[in-house]
Amino acid sequence: MLQRTFQHIPGVGPWREKDLWSRGFKTWDDFPAAGTGVAISKKTDDIARERIAQARDALARKDLRKLAELLPPREHWRLYPEFQNDAVYFDIETDGRDAQAPTVVSLFDSTGLHVFIQGRNMDALPEAMAERRLWVTFNGSCFDVPVLRDYFGPARFPVPDAHIDLRFVTRRLGIGGGLKEIEAKIGAERPQHLKGVNGYDAVLLWRAYQRRGDVEALRFLVEYNLYDSFQLRTLMDVSYNRGADDLNQDVPRLPVFERGDVLYDVSRIILELGPTERDLQTLARVRAMEQDG
């Protein structure tokens, strides 16, 4: 799909790109060399050949940042197949306060699932995210990333080479709704015990853990958040394929991620979430208060 893209050429938007395709200029290789024909106009064609050369060189060098700079953000989904091994899919939960702080953050990448929890290992999150050049979120450009940047500070929190926010990709494809609603539409529903759980429930679960050392509340919260991260892989695959379908492009479709591959890891992570020394102290304090009462 990327090598069929012409929207990195000044003045070429979705309509003109489709016009180029309809006239036989289906890939960069089809664009006429200097002196062999006109695709858009003589002046624009010279600029187009320069931009195509830049994109071709960046792709050969796997320079995601340069490609993302060339393409309009709305078309960054086209970068996905070439860089999916560099992708991290992530989601955050927060404490619900005015100055929101992350409580649980789950990452899913080619190495598996990773969970970061406030008071345990949250401080290691920026370095983990910096290892991946392509970020994939749902509404992350409006919520997750600003919250994390404010919390860690701009100097420490990394900036990816490209960020695909599936909230806007799915909307353009006509798949409306929030993440859970869209999951149901594409056949990727959650287990029954997680259906209906929302962001406010996540805040309540965190408060239960903080106030009473309730590790079962934490386990439920982490499981909920893990689904928010790895389900994005399935949604990204589906969105890319539907985007290619929508443009009627003869390009390979991606195999859609099957979440069964990670469900064992979800169970393992949850079971390993034992209480910390702080949790045990909290529980002892709550029990003492109950006895005093």
Side-chain angles (χ1 to χ4, degrees), residues 30-292:
D30 298 321
F31 203 85
T36 64
V38 176
I40 305 170
S41 70
K42 189 176 184 304
K43 181 179 180 180
T44 302
D45 282 5
D46 289 338
I47 299 172
R49 281 185 281 270
E50 181 182 345
R51 288 297 181 92
I52 289 171
Q54 291 175 3
R56 198 191 302 276
D57 175 69
L59 181 57
R61 293 184 292 102
K62 293 293 184 180
D63 188 342
L64 175 58
R65 184 176 295 276
K66 180 61 177 180
L67 288 165
E69 290 173 355
L70 289 170
L71 290 178
R74 68 174 182 272
E75 304 301 339
H76 282 183
W77 64 273
R78 303 186 188 192
L79 298 164
Y80 179 65
E82 283 78 10
F83 296 95
Q84 58 182 312
N85 289 334
D86 291 306
V88 60
Y89 315 82
F90 68 92
D91 186 81
I92 76 171
E93 309 303 334
T94 69
D95 58 8
R97 300 177 185 273
D98 289 341
Q100 302 202 62
T103 56
V104 175
V105 180
S106 294
L107 311 183
F108 179 51
D109 59 21
S110 60
T111 66
L113 292 165
H114 312 274
V115 178
F116 299 84
I117 301 171
Q118 187 63 246
R120 296 194 179 200
N121 63 340
M122 185 66 74
D123 195 54
L125 179 66
E127 287 71 28
M129 294 187 67
E131 293 179 2
R132 296 297 169 178
R133 298 190 292 162
L134 175 61
W135 292 0
V136 180
T137 65
F138 189 93
N139 199 41
S141 60
C142 299
F143 181 72
D144 304 62
V145 171
V147 168
L148 293 175
R149 186 183 298 117
D150 288 345
Y151 179 78
F152 289 104
R156 185 168 176 220
F157 193 65
V159 177
D161 289 350
H163 179 181
I164 301 173
D165 190 331
L166 288 171
R167 173 190 171 190
F168 303 104
V169 176
T170 53
R171 180 185 296 174
R172 289 183 61 203
L173 292 171
I175 314 173
L179 178 57
K180 283 75 172 176
E181 184 180 351
I182 292 173
E183 288 172 352
K185 290 178 180 178
I186 66 172
E189 291 188 281
R190 303 185 180 209
Q192 191 62 40
H193 68 285
L194 291 178
K195 289 184 178 179
V197 182
N198 56 41
Y200 184 64
D201 294 324
V203 172
L204 296 180
L205 288 166
W206 178 253
R207 289 175 181 172
Y209 169 62
Q210 284 289 91
R211 293 171 181 174
R212 301 192 299 274
D214 189 338
V215 175
E216 287 305 309
L218 177 64
R219 286 173 172 158
F220 197 110
L221 173 60
V222 167
E223 182 180 15
Y224 168 74
N225 184 248
L226 281 167
Y227 269 83
D228 278 350
S229 63
F230 69 76
Q231 292 273 80
L232 293 175
R233 167 71 188 274
T234 300
L235 183 54
M236 182 70 250
D237 292 341
V238 169
S239 296
Y240 176 82
N241 290 342
R242 293 198 182 185
D245 290 343
D246 190 53
L247 295 174
N248 195 30
Q249 290 299 298
D250 183 20
V251 295
R253 301 311 193 253
L254 298 174
V256 176
F257 174 72
E258 293 288 343
R259 66 189 183 189
D261 295 340
V262 299
L263 292 185
Y264 170 80
D265 292 329
V266 171
S267 299
R268 176 183 56 79
I269 289 170
I270 293 169
L271 290 174
E272 289 176 353
L273 280 175
T276 64
E277 184 61 33
R278 178 183 177 280
D279 298 333
L280 294 175
Q281 292 172 359
T282 299
L283 186 57
R285 186 170 64 251
V286 170
R287 286 172 175 168
M289 292 172 60
E290 180 68 18
Q291 291 174 358
D292 292 343

